[in-house]
Amino acid sequence: MHRVLVIHGPNLNLLGKRETDIYGTLTLEEINTAVRAKGLEYGMQVETYQSNHEGDIVEKIHAAEGDAEVIIVNPGAFTHYSIAIRDAMASVQVPSIEVHLSNIYAREELRHKSVTAPAAVGQISGFGVGSYLAALTAADHILKLAKGTWRP
Amino acid sequence: MHRVLVIHGPNLNLLGKRETDIYGTLTLEEINTAVRAKGLEYGMQVETYQSNHEGDIVEKIHAAEGDAEVIIVNPGAFTHYSIAIRDAMASVQVPSIEVHLSNIYAREELRHKSVTAPAAVGQISGFGVGSYLAALTAADHILKLAKGTWRP
Amino acid sequence: MHRVLVIHGPNLNLLGKRETDIYGTLTLEEINTAVRAKGLEYGMQVETYQSNHEGDIVEKIHAAEGDAEVIIVNPGAFTHYSIAIRDAMASVQVPSIEVHLSNIYAREELRHKSVTAPAAVGQISGFGVGSYLAALTAADHILKLAKGTWRP
Amino acid sequence: MHRVLVIHGPNLNLLGKRETDIYGTLTLEEINTAVRAKGLEYGMQVETYQSNHEGDIVEKIHAAEGDAEVIIVNPGAFTHYSIAIRDAMASVQVPSIEVHLSNIYAREELRHKSVTAPAAVGQISGFGVGSYLAALTAADHILKLAKGTWRP
Amino acid sequence: MHRVLVIHGPNLNLLGKRETDIYGTLTLEEINTAVRAKGLEYGMQVETYQSNHEGDIVEKIHAAEGDAEVIIVNPGAFTHYSIAIRDAMASVQVPSIEVHLSNIYAREELRHKSVTAPAAVGQISGFGVGSYLAALTAADHILKLAKGTWRP
Amino acid sequence: MHRVLVIHGPNLNLLGKRETDIYGTLTLEEINTAVRAKGLEYGMQVETYQSNHEGDIVEKIHAAEGDAEVIIVNPGAFTHYSIAIRDAMASVQVPSIEVHLSNIYAREELRHKSVTAPAAVGQISGFGVGSYLAALTAADHILKLAKGTWRP
Amino acid sequence: MHRVLVIHGPNLNLLGKRETDIYGTLTLEEINTAVRAKGLEYGMQVETYQSNHEGDIVEKIHAAEGDAEVIIVNPGAFTHYSIAIRDAMASVQVPSIEVHLSNIYAREELRHKSVTAPAAVGQISGFGVGSYLAALTAADHILKLAKGTWRP
Amino acid sequence: MHRVLVIHGPNLNLLGKRETDIYGTLTLEEINTAVRAKGLEYGMQVETYQSNHEGDIVEKIHAAEGDAEVIIVNPGAFTHYSIAIRDAMASVQVPSIEVHLSNIYAREELRHKSVTAPAAVGQISGFGVGSYLAALTAADHILKLAKGTWRP
Amino acid sequence: MHRVLVIHGPNLNLLGKRETDIYGTLTLEEINTAVRAKGLEYGMQVETYQSNHEGDIVEKIHAAEGDAEVIIVNPGAFTHYSIAIRDAMASVQVPSIEVHLSNIYAREELRHKSVTAPAAVGQISGFGVGSYLAALTAADHILKLAKGTWRP
Amino acid sequence: MHRVLVIHGPNLNLLGKRETDIYGTLTLEEINTAVRAKGLEYGMQVETYQSNHEGDIVEKIHAAEGDAEVIIVNPGAFTHYSIAIRDAMASVQVPSIEVHLSNIYAREELRHKSVTAPAAVGQISGFGVGSYLAALTAADHILKLAKGTWRP
Amino acid sequence: MHRVLVIHGPNLNLLGKRETDIYGTLTLEEINTAVRAKGLEYGMQVETYQSNHEGDIVEKIHAAEGDAEVIIVNPGAFTHYSIAIRDAMASVQVPSIEVHLSNIYAREELRHKSVTAPAAVGQISGFGVGSYLAALTAADHILKLAKGTWRP
Amino acid sequence: MHRVLVIHGPNLNLLGKRETDIYGTLTLEEINTAVRAKGLEYGMQVETYQSNHEGDIVEKIHAAEGDAEVIIVNPGAFTHYSIAIRDAMASVQVPSIEVHLSNIYAREELRHKSVTAPAAVGQISGFGVGSYLAALTAADHILKLAKGTWRP
């Protein structure tokens, strides 16, 4: 089994209760359940983690070194200013995938800029829980490339 | 079978031959083959199309109305200035997914801005052919939501 | 009869079908009919033309030299970046009038800037088909001034 | 008869005497005469008003409520900074049309931006007195739409 | 009795009639009544004044010197460009409080910047008539501090 | 009794000891005492909270849901970059009021921009402890409006 | 005798009473007296005028046509945004000289930009009443050049 | 014989007829003749091509691979926004030289920026047909360096 | 013995393991050992502290008041956005010295701006562990100046 | 006799020969003669100096300390970037007056900004040799103020 | 023989020794030799000059008046800020050609802007010594045009 | 003995006499004495040099090649615009250290940007003469690293 770590950033613990026009009505636990189930199909054991604390997310990323093979991270509001999380992503060997529930490019100006994305392999935004599911597909691709088992 | 249209923008016909450090060594045909194969797993018939002409892409999008259920579009260089393509995406009922082979946020400043993304459901970048595969997962999610068959 | 050329830019072929809250429910053919009828009142024979291709619009403008006396052009999305169309407008002797269906100054930031307007005699925006009708009035004025028949 | 109010902003009282290369040789009274005559053709009684005082223009717009059916306003220099006039235009039910004698997009940088235009139905610039005449055509269109008598 | 002057800027005379989704349904006179009543509770005699003329507001501020102990000013649209009013506020000894009915930071970009605020003691925005009431509390605090009668 | 939560952001625990020319000589406890006393006059039970940790403030706001009726928050330095706190304010049903001791518009450029203000009902700045007192007046107004007991 | 018109903009009526660290302790009348006296030495009859109303200044400039030979104008706060005054200066044949008491380039950012200066012959700032006196020297030079009596 | 491809962008087909104060009176065919003649002196067979279509230019550059040894390209208006042409230049092995008839740095602001130049070996602007002739000298140098036959 | 506090910001706990091309191969403990040893030569007892939590660093700075005589702080990623740390540095009496291992001006644009530096006595960047050693020299100078024992 | 130093910056040695439409037909020596003559009227002995070398101008300003009572400096092109000259002006006790022959605010964008002006007492621009003459009037005013002999 | 002056700016004396990956391995003397030899082929006597002093380059340009027929100038670092050199180029009758060894548009942002180019006839960059050789071709063209001996 | 070159930029010859609130009361000679003395402790022979001429500093840096092992440079005002000095620093093999007496990040906006710093190993600012002393420590570290004698 591949080990995949999913990190949810600030305010995502309120999912399904807050601004449902933007973020949808699924709760975080429902998302986690869906992601874990889909992960199993890919042969991945998915650990999920949520924090509203920038420092805790930095340290969770540090701890992933040697523990997870891919990090899927939704930095939430931190996307737009946390260079600390960007540096954490860059300082571990584990590849990371940035995801967003909403299409950040279709929202307010201040959400268009991601300071964390340059440190990720890639970014997926706009598909709700589908962003996480697509991230699993991307993770599967990354893992196959790393093992040399991918074929066109 | 769901019908999915994949559109590749300018210069992508040279894939695998040009700047392989950025875009990888797969040719466009190899990518199309992989996408078609993966699409079948999702019950999707994938049509692929490439053009170096902005106007042709605009009209291909127009023609998708009533013909395709999802458009996956890699606008290539047009991403950064073609408001015509953005408007085409917004003017049809078919949902579109924007993809990029490379992580555009980790490249030159002029590639950070997407004028087309606000008209897409979402955007996926940075995973090479994996961006297209993840887009199929996202398309599958969109289609299930539309049919009301998705369950967390 | 004066000869007037009306050029419609990209996506305008979908008028009446797309984003009707912004662009109204008239189809392009209905607009053309209204413009041709109104033109006759001013003693003008109106030719209409639509293209989604920047290069075709450039060449249509070139061809107007010696053929039309006024060009009425709605560059659509090209308004905001096509310096090629701007240069085409500047490189022929035929005066051009820029029109827009919607009030571009009341929309997204990226639609506020017109790169083509400085090459036109003037610009009319925001009145739906009325923008074209007002353009005919302006064209009538331009033609009378050119002939020296205008009186306050 | 429809009632239409035409408002001319600061320095326009000097028309025909000042910077005639930019604004032409017609005096304000000649423009008013032409506009009133043309208005009659459309079944409009045109009242004209000029002021160099921002506050007076604000209050003239307020007073138009219940008195005029369309306001045609050339805010002159106020175009570029008078948010007060913009707010006045937005706070009455009477639709307004912004006009300019010169093509403001072909002049100095500081004249490219209109803060008032977003509160107008639309904007017409660059045709000299023809801008006012075209505005009457637009006003005629607005009035017909309001009455439901317009036909393509 | 302390003397407090309340100044309302341009277009505020239309309150309750215009854009009620933004500014509410209270008329200016109802606001004045509420402010006067609340002022009496604080031992303040409140004079109210409205003008659409920048120059009149400048001179009303000048005249407050030696006449009022606090100025509460809602500069309306002038907030965003009238350096003349800012200088007037700075050139009298009377402390001023800037108020806004709506939350200017949650509106269009051009309303985010206040050129007058740096010349005020402070600014209150977003509470409708409550902004004026809160300003009275702030004025009460300023007056007590000035008299040395405030205790934590 | 209405329940009101007052949140003080980073470095405010040093109030009265630091930069007293900007922030005054009152300690945080003196401010809390004054606010609690004034709150009682409005029939409000005021809870106060201070933290230097962005994540703790985010979670304190989350916890206010169903516990407080109004949040008065002085985000301190977080005002200028914590989109996480902005999102927290937007994700709960409890209305929040942003306060600042100093007039942030009269200080260094980097303090002019509030990223949190758009998620608040309104903002009050510049009156020292008076900003909190005025916020209580605003809170009282919000509560009366919510109950429908406010009369002009 | 040459006729010279001196125009003082908003808030200058408070000179000598307001912000004396910036503007000095001379009153406006003392400045006028000094300027009139110095003007006589140059064979100039100096008329002085002060207004806090932009529109009045615009009209005073209009009225100078055919009445004054040089206008010396201190637009005060209007310097930074009144395009109406700039246009007035440009629309009369009388040359104008812009003066400022303080060195506007050594003050706040928003005072560095003069929108009126491009319409003046030149600008003098920073010398207190000396700015007006130097303007008389410049006016003398302009008049001699116009008459062709200047010799190096 | 070395093979050199010369590409002329949009509107250049009108050379000698349009804006002759900027672009001179030579027609495109006269320029082509001069360039072919001069090329022969350098042992180069020069093919010339003009298009108003961005996509055609992209594909002409693609086709040059294995066919031409140097591309001399005057992208015309495309210089300022066509990232597609820039990418085409970067995606073939053939070195390209960017030329302009006029000095783009001495014209309007929007012509100062070249998005294509970074993908060229170098850029030559301002010498009319001389820009093309100088480009042949530069091409000659590039070819000699490639063959190792250049000597200082 | 003088007491000096050294604070290391986020991700610095990974030193010597991460991005060694930028940050070098020394571990944080090796840096601390070197700094402590060098400190003793200057008669300084050096305490070292590392945290990935902004709030903890703020509070460590607060706690230094009355405990340390100089703070040497490497804010890491917080350098570029943590106004909270800047305010903490400004709110204690202890002088602080900002250090960086790498030359932040030779890296990505977003690392060029330090929001914390204005609150420090000075800044040292680019010398690896040498930045800390140089900071001790600067600290020694600051302490001698404070005691009045420095001689040129 | 008062001692006044006049410094002319780069390229001013070519005056009267270069760009006479901008700078006039007077030679530098004719200007110097006029300034010296006018200076005598004010009881000033005027020394003139021209250099094309930034460093020489810096040192000429240094040398003026204790030698001249006022410096009149036309920094020419250095106005727009020489912080070294600005610092030299700020580092001597002698007050300086910045002059320009042309109205720099009516020329190209890059000439609008003066980096030296903040270090001068004031600035005079646009009057040709009249700028220098007006500067003498300003210098006379400065000297009288310094001696306390100025009367309104 | 035509006289051509070649000016090399700061640091170019180190050519061939410094940053050879950017500037190549040719020494300045080798470049001069190549340029002189090539010049002879065009019937030009080439004088070369290098200086690290802005003022010396300004004066060398002045001295070229009446001495050289064309100036070829590589302003080096001065390209990006020396308005003094730009003005010198504009103030002599001799046409100048700006050259750069490297493609300045493919380097750091601060090298993209040329303040000197608008004063040159044209600019050539990116071809190493080939830039100078191409400049000779351009110079030859300029001279032929001036003599009227050029034929298409 | 290691050879170290210390370069002081423009206006630093006036140290101790000018703006002593910013730069302190030490003269340049006192600083040089302190630096030489401290250098001896590190086994360094320190040569000092001051110039107000950019070109001279460029050439002094060139001459350091093969003569000094480290350059300590305080470019003064040149820090903010002299790309020539930056290029000189980059074009020699000798490592350079940039120092500033004052904390440039706590001063006017135009002093925040260093164009020279990217070419230095690192930068030290804000400690007065202590900046130079700390630079010696950094130089010592650089030399030990180069010799391989440094131990943590």
Side-chain angles (χ1 to χ4, degrees), chain L residues 6-140:
Chain L
V6 173
I7 299 176
H8 307 286
N11 296 301
L12 290 167
N13 53 316
L14 296 192
L15 268 183
K17 298 156 204 161
R18 81 183 245 234
E19 302 171 280
T20 52
D21 53 323
I22 301 175
Y23 300 106
T25 55
L26 290 181
T27 64
L28 187 59
E29 198 36 48
E30 289 172 312
I31 285 179
N32 283 340
T33 301
V35 173
R36 274 192 295 261
K38 186 76 177 182
L40 288 177
E41 295 181 21
Y42 281 116
M44 298 167 183
Q45 185 170 359
V46 176
E47 176 194 351
T48 61
Y49 176 83
Q50 191 274 335
S51 177
N52 298 307
H53 299 264
E54 185 189 27
D56 290 346
I57 292 175
V58 165
E59 295 179 348
K60 189 73 184 174
I61 293 168
H62 290 180
E65 183 89 65
D67 189 53
E69 288 163 275
V70 175
I71 299 170
I72 293 171
V73 58
N74 178 346
F78 292 148
T79 303
H80 312 302
Y81 59 103
S82 179
I83 303 174
I85 291 178
R86 171 202 183 121
D87 285 356
M89 288 159 69
S91 60
V92 294
Q93 302 293 333
V94 193
S96 57
I97 298 172
E98 182 173 320
V99 297
H100 298 284
L101 292 161
S102 62
N103 180 344
I104 60 178
Y105 307 104
R107 300 181 62 193
E108 313 101 289
E109 181 79 18
L110 92 167
R111 295 191 204 273
H112 293 190
K113 174 79 185 166
S114 169
V115 303
T116 47
V121 175
Q123 189 201 51
I124 298 174
S125 72
F127 307 105
V129 63
S131 293
Y132 290 89
L133 303 181
L136 291 173
T137 302
D140 176 62

Side-chain angles (χ1 to χ4, degrees), chain A residues 103 105 117 120 122-123 125 129 137 141, chain B residues 103 105 117 120 122-123 125 137 141:
Chain A
N103 180 346
Y105 307 104
Q123 188 201 53
S125 72
V129 64
T137 302
H141 187 66
Chain B
N103 180 346
Y105 306 105
Q123 189 200 53
S125 71
T137 301
H141 187 68

Side-chain angles (χ1 to χ4, degrees), chain I residues 26 30 34 42 97 103 105-106 112-113 117-118 120-127 129-130 133-134 137-138 141-142 150 152, chain L residues 26 30 34 42 97 103 105-106 112-113 117-118 120-127 129-130 133-134 137-138 141-142 150 152:
Chain I
L26 291 181
E30 289 172 311
Y42 282 116
I97 298 172
N103 180 346
Y105 306 103
H112 294 190
K113 173 81 185 167
V121 174
Q123 189 200 51
I124 298 174
S125 72
F127 307 104
V129 63
L133 303 181
T137 302
H141 187 67
I142 289 169
W150 193 78
Chain L
L26 290 181
E30 289 172 312
Y42 281 116
I97 298 172
N103 180 344
Y105 307 104
H112 293 190
K113 174 79 185 166
V121 175
Q123 189 201 51
I124 298 174
S125 72
F127 307 105
V129 63
L133 303 181
T137 302
H141 187 67
I142 288 169
W150 193 79

Side-chain angles (χ1 to χ4, degrees), chain I residues 25-36:
Chain I
T25 56
L26 291 181
T27 64
L28 187 59
E29 199 36 47
E30 289 172 311
I31 286 179
N32 283 339
T33 300
V35 173
R36 274 192 296 260

Side-chain angles (χ1 to χ4, degrees), chain K residues 125-149:
Chain K
S125 71
F127 307 104
V129 64
S131 293
Y132 290 89
L133 303 181
L136 291 174
T137 302
D140 176 62
H141 187 68
I142 289 168
L143 291 167
K144 282 180 177 149
L145 282 178
K147 290 192 298 186
T149 61

Side-chain angles (χ1 to χ4, degrees), chain J residues 41-114:
Chain J
E41 296 181 20
Y42 282 117
M44 297 167 183
Q45 184 169 0
V46 176
E47 176 194 354
T48 62
Y49 176 82
Q50 191 274 335
S51 176
N52 298 307
H53 300 264
E54 184 189 28
D56 289 347
I57 292 175
V58 165
E59 293 178 348
K60 190 70 185 178
I61 293 169
H62 290 181
E65 183 89 65
D67 189 53
E69 288 162 275
V70 174
I71 300 170
I72 294 171
V73 58
N74 178 345
F78 292 147
T79 304
H80 313 301
Y81 59 104
S82 178
I83 304 174
I85 291 178
R86 171 204 185 119
D87 284 356
M89 289 159 70
S91 59
V92 294
Q93 301 293 332
V94 192
S96 56
I97 298 172
E98 182 174 318
V99 298
H100 299 284
L101 291 161
S102 61
N103 180 345
I104 59 177
Y105 306 104
R107 300 182 61 193
E108 314 101 288
E109 181 78 18
L110 92 170
R111 295 193 203 271
H112 293 189
K113 174 80 184 167
S114 168

